[in-house]
Amino acid sequence: MFSLKQPKPTFKSYLLPQADDNISSEPRIKKLEPVLLPGEIVVNEVNFVRKCVATDTSQYDLWGKLVCTNFKISFITDDPMPLQKFHYKNLLLGEHDVPLTCIEQIVTVNDTKRKQKVLGPNQKLKFNPTELIIYCKDFRIVRFRFDEAGPESAKKVCLAIAHYSQPTDLQLLFAFEYVGEIYHNPAKKVNGIDPGGGGGGISSASGQQTPLFETYSDWDREIKRTGASEWRVCSVNEGYMISTCLPEYFVVPSSLADQDLKLYSYSFIGRRMPLWSWNHPNGSALVRMANIKDVLQQRRIDQRICNAITRSHPLRSDVYKSDLDKCLPNIQEIQAAHNKLKQLCVDDPFDETEEKWLSSLENTRWLEYIRVFLKHSAELVYMMECKHVSVVLQEEEGRDLSCLAASLIQVMLDPYFRTIVGFQSLIQKEWVMAGYQFLDRCNHLKRSDKESPLFLMFLDCVWQLLEQYPAAFEFSEVYLTVLYDSARISLFGTFLFNCPHQRVKESTEFAISKNIQLGDEKGLRFPCVWDWSLQFTSRDRLLFHNPLYIGKSAPSVHNGALRSFKRSKKNYSSTLRGVPPALKNGIIGEQEFLPRRNSLILKLKPEFFHSAEGQRHSMEQYFRDWFAKPVDLHGVILPHLSGTQIKLWKLCYFRWVPEAQINHGGSITAFHRASLLADEVDMLNRSLRQCKSNSSLQGRCSELDQSRMYFRANGLNDTSGAPDFLSSSFPFSPVGNLCRRSILGTPLSKFLSGAKIWLSTETLANED
């Protein structure tokens, strides 16, 4: 009979135990878990995944776990990122995370069967994928390999990503699950901060409030700030009783009664009555208006509205109407241009023999459309600034092109909107509350027929102005880029809905389904994107500030009374202004502002200009005089429109392309040096304050010792060089994104090094 008792081992080893380098990493990988937000759940995951870092070698690839949640795809690894010296950390997202709403396309590949498939929602996958390629809306391309992973697990995670990144209903977006969890468990907050924000506004890094324009008082303060004494806040749409695509409160001429507004609203498309945007100190107003659909009543209502706007002007000046549908490219043309730009920057491989890159960039028409928007906005600035007339921006629905045009005009005219808080309030007022369709235009629900990157084009236009007048803007291009990225994160209610009413309606329905008690609140309170502490540390937020900015105390309202709203007439040194050369040197050509078909000059009444020659001369003379004088950084700024001045926003479009990265190059080098100089100036100012202050103020001075610059000087006359991690893509890192062939010596390489896009290929070749 065999004994059931196991015999004792008789072998005894006298060698010390040694670590085995070939031990499987399975236990370590299984311990890797994603960091989850409130309401975030893991829907699928797969181990032993390889993230590809380079195409020509696998030695830099990372091993880890690929996880799909209802908010993001997350690659978790213990391996250090090779070749990377810096990473700009987002507190909501890991280093390898991609929000689901940022995913553009999902491609699965099987090397053995030589098959590939673009995955859509609720589709079947008939082969086991060996590779997954994620194309992102921010021009990133991320690639994963499943050579060592279980085939069924790899297939399931691919299908999960395809399903959750293409939701069919608004309430399936992650923001709803997050807010629902917060309401049920108030202790769960991102970074310990209440994400809902208050009704009055969101505090910025400087402590100032960003008005959300959800209340009567926010609009009333804006009226007082701009001195629009003949305008009033209207509450006729309270509870969205008149129009569901207008805010509850908006500003109208004082001479228009609520009863008239209710009557006229039926004649406008979407019942979108005229909306006041801004008032010039000379009394001219900027107004947005949808088309009048009632042909029989069109002339009478149009005349009534224009008369009311005229009476609100202190000089009773006439009203000029700009038909944006005829003057500007439509949303389909802008989307087509963006697709071509994306294909040029992302999809097409960079070939050493490519001779047509610069002409291909021109053929996208992206830069052309930017020039058109800037030019038309400058023409309308001329009308308000020089002709002292009120401008009405007319568009079919009044919620697309007019958002962009109205915002650009205000950025050019009002220095308040060139500060961080002012710029955020501008977006709240002209985009969020005015009913820009972020849900459809950003394509959060993958309805591509309604997609159009108008908001990106606006940020690009602002970047052009920032590039031309760096000392006039408080914010940096990093701020603009991060703001664009935030529109792709499905946590913030700011960029999630088509209008304020949709937020109230959908969130109320969701609250009822989840048994959430709203009390007196109008719908759920979603996190606001302007609370940047949710995404970045106070240290990283310093990169939002432009070291070249010449600040000025912002106009403010205290206790309902206007403190001040004066335009500075002071001129600044040319070293700070960057005054342009003479017009004849090519900054702006003679034909740049000549009248064209459908332009504003052809539509003016005869009393403005007495002849065709006078029409051309008046506008030309205004721009000629403006460019000839020193620039007032706290007054009007106008764009340079020649071919050399409209540029491609390299940080936004090339930051994820490893081959396009220039080590110790790009605009960040100037940013770094300017930051050090500004920090040295701050150090001197702090020293002077400490010398002048008495003992009772010592504590107060110590609070000011902290630098406002991201890059800080080691002391006065700091001569240290730039950090090793600086590159043209800073603060973003392209490492880990799909690589291509080298671009060294190509037209693209010359362009990135500073060549002008209008130069021909032959000229570039001759430069060598």
Side-chain angles (χ1 to χ4, degrees):
M1 299 291 294
F2 294 102
S3 173
L4 297 176
K5 190 174 182 180
Q6 188 174 2
K8 295 183 178 180
T10 58
F11 178 76
K12 184 176 182 181
S13 174
Y14 294 92
L15 297 176
L16 294 174
Q18 297 183 5
D20 187 356
D21 294 335
N22 297 321
I23 292 178
S24 171
S25 57
E26 181 178 359
R28 177 174 59 87
I29 291 179
K30 282 189 174 180
K31 292 180 181 179
L32 297 176
E33 298 297 336
V35 178
L36 302 178
L37 298 175
E40 186 177 6
I41 59 173
V42 174
V43 295
N44 220 303
E45 60 184 39
V46 57
N47 284 318
F48 306 111
V49 177
R50 182 158 52 94
K51 182 178 182 181
C52 303
V53 175
T55 53
D56 53 350
T57 178
S58 61
Q59 71 178 78
Y60 300 121
D61 290 354
L62 306 175
W63 289 89
K65 177 194 288 187
L66 182 62
V67 178
C68 174
T69 75
N70 57 342
F71 172 54
K72 62 180 182 283
I73 60 170
S74 181
F75 179 74
I76 313 165
T77 180
D78 274 347
D79 296 342
M81 177 68 86
L83 311 175
Q84 180 170 304
K85 301 175 181 178
F86 178 83
H87 178 66
Y88 194 44
K89 181 175 176 57
N90 189 308
L91 300 177
L92 299 176
L93 299 166
E95 186 173 3
H96 305 282
D97 293 355
V98 178
L100 293 176
T101 42
C102 189
I103 295 176
E104 179 78 28
Q105 193 177 71
I106 302 164
V107 179
T108 53
V109 181
N110 185 289
D111 296 336
T112 306
K113 298 183 178 180
R114 296 184 179 181
K115 291 183 178 181
Q116 68 176 27
K117 181 175 183 176
V118 177
L119 278 183
N122 303 319
Q123 286 188 344
K124 293 183 178 181
L125 190 58
K126 296 183 179 180
F127 58 84
N128 293 324
T130 58
E131 185 175 355
L132 172 67
I133 304 175
I134 304 290
Y135 293 86
C136 303
K137 294 178 181 179
D138 59 3
F139 289 21
R140 269 184 295 177
I141 304 178
V142 188
R143 186 159 60 104
F144 301 100
R145 296 284 305 181
F146 302 118
D147 300 297
E148 304 297 328
E152 285 298 320
S153 299
K155 179 190 292 188
K156 288 179 180 179
V157 80
C158 291
L159 292 173
I161 294 172
H163 177 76
Y164 281 88
S165 65
Q166 303 175 74
T168 57
D169 186 77
L170 174 59
Q171 294 183 24
L172 294 176
L173 293 176
F174 172 68
F176 285 86
E177 291 296 332
Y178 171 82
V179 174
E181 183 68 20
I182 292 297
Y183 271 83
H184 281 301
N185 301 283
K188 292 185 177 181
K189 299 173 183 176
V190 174
N191 307 323
I193 299 172
D194 183 7
I202 297 296
S203 295
S204 67
S206 62
Q208 291 180 279
Q209 292 280 318
T210 298
L212 302 181
F213 292 97
E214 295 177 348
T215 62
Y216 183 102
S217 58
D218 281 347
W219 289 101
D220 190 53
R221 276 191 291 268
E222 185 67 6
I223 287 178
K224 291 182 172 68
R225 189 189 73 84
T226 58
S229 58
E230 298 298 322
W231 297 77
R232 67 179 179 89
V233 182
C234 172
S235 57
V236 69
N237 197 42
E238 199 167 24
Y240 306 100
M241 299 299 294
I242 303 296
S243 175
T244 57
C245 55
L246 285 179
E248 288 190 281
Y249 307 99
F250 53 93
V251 178
V252 297
S254 298
S255 59
L256 279 179
D258 286 356
Q259 196 60 35
D260 293 334
L261 291 171
K262 291 179 182 179
L263 182 63
Y264 298 153
S265 66
Y266 292 97
S267 300
F268 289 94
I269 294 178
R271 301 189 70 179
R272 289 180 62 88
M273 295 165 283
L275 296 174
W276 173 89
S277 291
W278 184 78
N279 240 61
H280 195 284
N282 64 26
S284 302
L286 180 64
V287 182
R288 298 167 55 175
M289 188 172 73
N291 287 344
I292 300 174
K293 61 182 179 180
D294 190 342
V295 179
L296 297 177
Q297 299 291 329
Q298 182 174 3
R299 184 180 183 89
R300 183 180 68 85
I301 295 176
D302 191 61
Q303 189 63 43
R304 179 72 177 88
I305 298 295
C306 289
N307 287 341
I309 297 174
T310 297
R311 283 196 292 270
S312 69
H313 197 295
L315 302 178
R316 300 299 188 263
S317 296
D318 283 291
V319 175
Y320 168 69
K321 294 177 67 175
S322 173
D323 190 341
L324 301 183
D325 291 321
K326 296 180 180 178
C327 300
L328 299 173
N330 59 44
I331 61 173
Q332 291 81 16
E333 292 171 329
I334 295 172
Q335 175 65 18
H338 181 260
N339 288 339
K340 292 178 182 178
L341 178 66
K342 180 170 59 177
Q343 183 178 8
L344 182 66
C345 296
V346 177
D347 297 338
D348 290 344
F350 300 139
D351 198 329
E352 293 184 7
T353 60
E354 177 61 55
E355 296 288 337
K356 299 179 181 179
W357 195 90
L358 299 178
S359 58
S360 298
L361 174 61
E362 182 180 0
N363 291 337
T364 65
R365 306 191 72 182
W366 182 257
L367 298 183
E368 175 189 338
Y369 291 158
I370 288 175
R371 183 179 289 107
V372 169
F373 274 103
L374 288 171
K375 179 177 180 179
H376 189 67
S377 299
E379 292 171 346
L380 298 180
V381 166
Y382 160 77
M383 296 302 304
M384 298 184 70
E385 175 81 5
C386 185
K387 290 302 174 182
H388 297 189
V389 298
S390 294
V391 170
V392 174
L393 304 176
Q394 190 156 11
E395 185 187 8
E396 182 178 2
E397 293 187 12
R399 55 195 304 195
D400 280 308
L401 302 176
S402 60
C403 296
L404 205 164
S407 300
L408 279 182
I409 291 169
Q410 292 172 74
V411 168
M412 294 180 191
L413 282 170
D414 193 340
Y416 170 65
F417 295 124
R418 301 196 286 268
T419 66
I420 292 178
V421 172
F423 189 71
Q424 293 175 172
S425 71
L426 178 70
I427 294 175
Q428 274 292 139
K429 176 167 63 80
E430 300 297 337
W431 295 78
V432 179
M433 300 309 295
Y436 178 72
Q437 302 172 83
F438 279 103
L439 179 67
D440 293 338
R441 299 297 179 250
C442 294
N443 205 14
H444 292 321
L445 299 182
K446 302 300 185 291
R447 297 171 183 170
S448 57
D449 58 323
K450 297 183 179 180
E451 184 177 8
S452 187
L454 270 174
F455 187 62
L456 172 60
M457 177 154 283
F458 164 64
L459 297 179
D460 201 328
C461 289
V462 173
W463 177 83
Q464 303 290 337
L465 295 171
L466 169 63
E467 187 76 359
Q468 295 176 14
Y469 303 100
F473 290 83
E474 184 185 15
F475 48 83
S476 65
E477 69 169 327
V478 173
Y479 169 82
L480 292 175
T481 308
V482 168
L483 179 56
Y484 167 61
D485 290 343
S486 299
R488 306 293 185 185
I489 300 178
S490 61
L491 178 66
F492 304 109
T494 313
F495 303 132
L496 208 60
F497 303 98
N498 286 335
C499 58
H501 173 262
Q502 187 182 48
R503 177 189 68 82
V504 173
K505 177 178 177 293
E506 294 287 342
S507 63
T508 301
E509 292 177 357
F510 181 82
I512 294 173
S513 67
K514 298 294 183 179
N515 295 319
I516 298 174
Q517 301 298 322
L518 293 176
D520 295 333
E521 293 185 9
K522 297 179 180 179
L524 297 173
R525 304 293 306 182
F526 292 87
C528 183
V529 74
W530 311 129
D531 189 355
W532 292 108
S533 61
L534 296 177
Q535 293 193 71
F536 303 103
T537 64
S538 57
R539 162 84 169 142
D540 285 346
R541 293 198 301 273
L542 294 177
L543 279 174
F544 292 176
H545 296 270
N546 175 13
L548 296 175
Y549 175 63
I550 300 176
K552 179 185 177 185
S553 58
S556 59
V557 176
H558 294 275
N559 300 324
L562 181 66
R563 173 71 61 87
S564 66
F565 186 59
K566 296 180 179 179
R567 310 261 183 197
S568 169
K569 298 297 182 183
K570 181 179 178 181
N571 292 329
Y572 291 84
S573 165
S574 60
T575 59
L576 295 175
R577 285 186 279 100
V579 176
L583 296 177
K584 63 182 180 181
N585 291 338
I587 290 299
I588 180 168
E590 284 187 5
Q591 303 299 320
E592 286 295 333
F593 286 95
L594 293 182
R596 65 178 189 274
R597 187 177 183 183
N598 293 326
S599 74
L600 57 94
I601 297 180
L602 298 180
K603 297 178 183 177
L604 288 173
K605 294 183 178 181
E607 54 262 29
F608 282 106
F609 301 106
H610 301 291
S611 64
E613 183 65 26
Q615 295 177 10
R616 179 173 65 249
H617 176 74
S618 180
M619 183 174 284
E620 281 184 343
Q621 190 61 45
Y622 169 75
F623 289 109
R624 185 178 293 109
D625 292 343
W626 191 90
F627 282 106
K629 293 186 296 185
V631 179
D632 178 8
L633 296 174
H634 298 289
V636 178
I637 59 172
L638 295 175
H640 304 304
L641 299 172
S642 66
T644 59
Q645 298 294 328
I646 303 300
K647 305 175 182 178
L648 185 68
W649 189 3
K650 300 173 191 175
L651 179 65
C652 185
Y653 305 128
F654 279 137
R655 55 185 161 144
W656 305 120
V657 183
E659 298 79 8
Q661 185 177 200
I662 304 173
N663 292 325
H664 298 99
S667 60
I668 190 60
T669 55
F671 183 95
H672 169 259
R673 177 51 56 185
S675 297
L676 296 184
L677 292 174
D679 194 43
E680 289 187 28
V681 172
D682 287 346
M683 291 170 61
L684 290 171
N685 286 331
R686 288 195 295 270
S687 299
L688 289 173
R689 283 197 300 270
Q690 289 175 356
C691 291
K692 293 180 180 179
S693 63
N694 54 37
S695 58
S696 63
L697 296 178
Q698 289 298 327
R700 185 177 176 183
C701 290
S702 63
E703 295 176 1
L704 302 174
D705 286 345
Q706 188 173 0
S707 174
R708 61 186 177 90
M709 295 292 122
Y710 183 86
F711 298 107
R712 301 170 184 176
N714 295 324
L716 298 179
N717 301 317
D718 185 6
T719 58
S720 58
D724 291 337
F725 56 75
L726 281 190
S727 72
S728 57
S729 63
F730 181 89
F732 308 96
S733 174
V735 176
N737 293 284
L738 190 63
C739 298
R740 303 165 185 82
R741 286 173 284 181
S742 172
I743 60 171
L744 188 62
T746 65
L748 174 59
S749 174
K750 295 185 170 91
F751 168 72
L752 291 170
S753 300
K756 307 300 183 184
I757 64 169
W758 52 267
L759 294 178
S760 64
T761 305
E762 293 77 11
T763 305
L764 288 172
N766 294 334
E767 282 185 349
D768 296 338

